[in-house]
Amino acid sequence: MPLALAQLQDIGDRITDRLRPWSRSAEFWVRAADIYTSYKVCQLRAGFVKDEEEREAMWEQQHELGAQKMYSLCSELGGLFLKAAQILGKPDLAPMAWVKRLVTLCDKAPATPIDVKYDINFDLYSATKEMEKQICYEFDFVREAKAMERIREFLRVTNKKKPPVIVPRVIPEMVSREVLVMEFIEGTPIMNLGNEMAKRGIDPGGKIATMAKQKILTDLTLAYGQMILKDALLDYGQVKAMPEDLRLAYANLVIAMADDDFLRTKESFREIGIETWSIADNELEELFQLSLRMFDTRLPPGVTAMSPFAEDSSLNKVGVQSFPEELFSVLRTIQLLRGLTVGMGLRFSCAQQWKPIAEEALLNCKIKKAAEKFCQETVFE
């Protein structure tokens, strides 16, 4: 019987860990709704009171009650909610009762036990810094237009016969920082391919449809691979230029993943600048699995989603202390391609698709360095 209870407790702990990120969010909304509702009720009651002093007293009492509820909510949930309370507790933003209660969270916030872990063992600071930059880029359409033209020309030159994807032409005289006009390209959204095929009498799950979707995904992946590993540029609005050394280090990681090379993966992480810590006995294997979760589209058999909060997530065994900001665009691109892969019902590895491109990038670098060395020695002589 004790064994059965222990097993039941273990199952309960696992379920709790799995639901923790969502339970905090749900708890916030439930408690926030309670505060909002109490204010609406007070507003309704105050509408029936004619005496002004009595109405003010009702609102003062409501503010005191609301302040206490908000204090409890933010101090108990902590983290982002604690920071929100510190921002909210200002005289120009909240009632004085709230200010007096919430201001204590600035210098007298509840201490967090030293043994508490994050919900996700990842460098969220670098992610936030990169997000701050990219939000600004999203509203610079002149920059986006230049990126589109550069990518379109790069794909045209790189693929002499025919580019794997079409990049719309920008209308130069109709581009400003606030407006971007480009040519209209007729087509079907990639996630609507199944419906479009069904309309034309093609079985979306049949052999012909699978071959067509495979071709589309291959062309799209090829274009992204060329942009990342050769031109170090991707996307339009959130265009990002990768430094040369980071591009080549990432090319080395692509080869390591394609070859299932655990040791080369660890060396590539160090070369890229990804700093990790591990509590796993099989560190190399877990580090490799982490690289696949972040930088490859392949999924284990029967798996259609890879959540960082999942029980089997490598981030529970290998934490990422430092992550290069310039690499977040690549990380986002991989997640996009993986989503398309799952949505189209395919099994696909972008690392294996990109391996020849990565090998070419590293070879060209060696040739370039050899040529530079030869020229320097010749000049010296």
Side-chain angles (χ1 to χ4, degrees):
M1 187 64 179
L3 180 60
L5 289 174
Q7 292 174 336
L8 187 61
Q9 180 65 44
D10 181 59
I11 295 175
D13 291 341
R14 292 184 181 184
I15 294 176
T16 300
D17 291 340
R18 182 76 63 88
L19 296 178
R20 185 184 297 117
W22 313 110
S23 63
R24 291 180 74 245
S25 179
E27 182 177 355
F28 165 77
W29 287 111
V30 169
R31 297 172 72 172
D34 175 57
I35 297 173
Y36 173 79
T37 302
S38 67
Y39 268 91
K40 295 303 292 185
V41 171
C42 182
Q43 183 183 35
L44 181 63
R45 290 176 55 209
F48 293 99
V49 177
K50 296 182 179 181
D51 185 75
E52 185 175 348
E53 291 186 359
E54 186 177 350
R55 284 201 307 270
E56 289 183 358
M58 289 178 61
W59 278 114
E60 284 298 322
Q61 184 179 8
Q62 174 59 38
H63 290 327
E64 291 288 347
L65 178 63
Q68 180 57 43
K69 288 184 176 182
M70 182 58 71
Y71 174 87
S72 299
L73 183 157
C74 295
S75 61
E76 291 171 14
L77 293 183
L80 179 64
F81 304 105
L82 195 62
K83 179 58 65 176
Q86 293 171 352
I87 296 174
L88 188 61
K90 296 180 180 179
D92 58 332
L93 294 178
M96 189 52 62
W98 284 48
V99 175
K100 291 180 179 179
R101 198 70 183 94
L102 298 182
V103 73
T104 60
L105 293 177
C106 291
D107 58 354
K108 297 179 181 179
T112 300
I114 196 169
D115 59 343
V116 172
K117 294 300 184 184
Y118 294 107
D119 287 333
I120 179 172
N121 298 315
F122 196 82
D123 180 12
L124 298 180
Y125 176 70
S126 295
T128 305
K129 287 178 62 180
E130 180 63 15
M131 187 182 300
E132 179 184 17
K133 297 176 186 175
Q134 294 299 333
I135 289 176
C136 296
Y137 293 156
E138 281 287 345
F139 297 96
D140 188 345
F141 293 131
V142 173
R143 185 175 186 271
E144 182 172 342
K146 292 179 180 178
M148 289 180 65
E149 287 300 301
R150 175 177 169 180
I151 292 175
R152 188 174 67 83
E153 181 63 15
F154 166 77
L155 291 176
R156 185 189 68 80
V157 173
T158 304
N159 304 274
K160 296 181 180 179
K161 293 183 179 180
K162 182 181 178 182
V165 296
I166 299 175
V167 178
R169 291 180 179 273
V170 171
I171 312 300
E173 58 273 15
M174 302 185 73
V175 175
S176 69
R177 188 175 176 83
E178 293 81 21
V179 179
L180 172 59
V181 180
M182 65 191 82
E183 68 172 323
F184 178 76
I185 297 180
E186 191 74 42
T188 301
I190 194 168
M191 295 308 295
N192 291 345
L193 281 176
N195 295 333
E196 190 64 27
M197 289 177 176
K199 290 179 183 178
R200 301 186 182 187
I202 302 175
D203 179 8
K207 186 175 181 179
I208 296 178
T210 300
M211 291 175 61
K213 289 188 286 187
Q214 188 79 33
K215 177 66 167 59
I216 293 172
L217 190 59
T218 298
D219 288 346
L220 181 62
T221 305
L222 174 62
Y224 271 118
Q226 290 177 343
M227 288 190 288
I228 294 173
L229 297 169
K230 287 189 174 183
D231 195 41
L233 189 70
L234 65 158
D235 209 331
Y236 307 140
Q238 295 187 1
V239 62
K240 189 72 178 181
M242 291 171 59
E244 179 75 359
D245 57 343
L246 183 60
R247 178 178 68 89
L248 296 174
Y250 181 69
N252 199 37
L253 176 61
V254 167
I255 298 174
M257 292 188 296
D259 291 343
D260 292 343
D261 190 328
F262 293 6
L263 183 58
R264 188 170 184 175
T265 296
K266 181 177 181 179
E267 294 172 349
S268 298
F269 266 43
R270 183 173 62 250
E271 187 180 2
I272 288 173
I274 300 177
E275 298 179 7
T276 62
W277 58 264
S278 174
I279 59 173
D281 296 331
N282 55 339
E283 179 184 355
L284 288 179
E285 181 179 351
E286 290 297 340
L287 197 64
F288 178 75
Q289 292 300 325
L290 178 61
S291 72
L292 297 185
R293 286 177 180 268
M294 293 195 296
F295 297 114
D296 198 6
T297 55
R298 79 176 89 170
L299 292 171
V303 176
T304 58
M306 299 182 76
S307 168
F309 299 110
E311 181 184 348
D312 62 344
S313 172
S314 296
L315 284 175
N316 290 329
K317 303 172 184 176
V318 179
V320 178
Q321 293 176 304
S322 179
F323 191 91
E325 297 174 30
E326 296 86 353
L327 214 56
F328 277 107
S329 292
V330 177
L331 188 64
R332 186 176 62 85
T333 299
I334 301 300
Q335 308 312 310
L336 169 65
L337 291 174
R338 180 184 292 154
L340 292 175
T341 301
V342 173
M344 299 172 76
L346 301 174
R347 291 287 169 180
F348 195 84
S349 169
C350 66
Q352 293 172 358
Q353 175 78 15
W354 291 350
K355 181 182 176 181
I357 306 175
E359 290 175 333
E360 181 183 352
L362 292 175
L363 178 60
N364 289 339
C365 178
K366 290 182 180 179
I367 294 175
K368 180 181 178 182
K369 288 184 178 180
E372 290 175 349
K373 183 179 180 182
F374 176 77
C375 291
Q376 290 174 355
E377 292 176 349
T378 303
V379 172
F380 181 77
E381 292 176 355

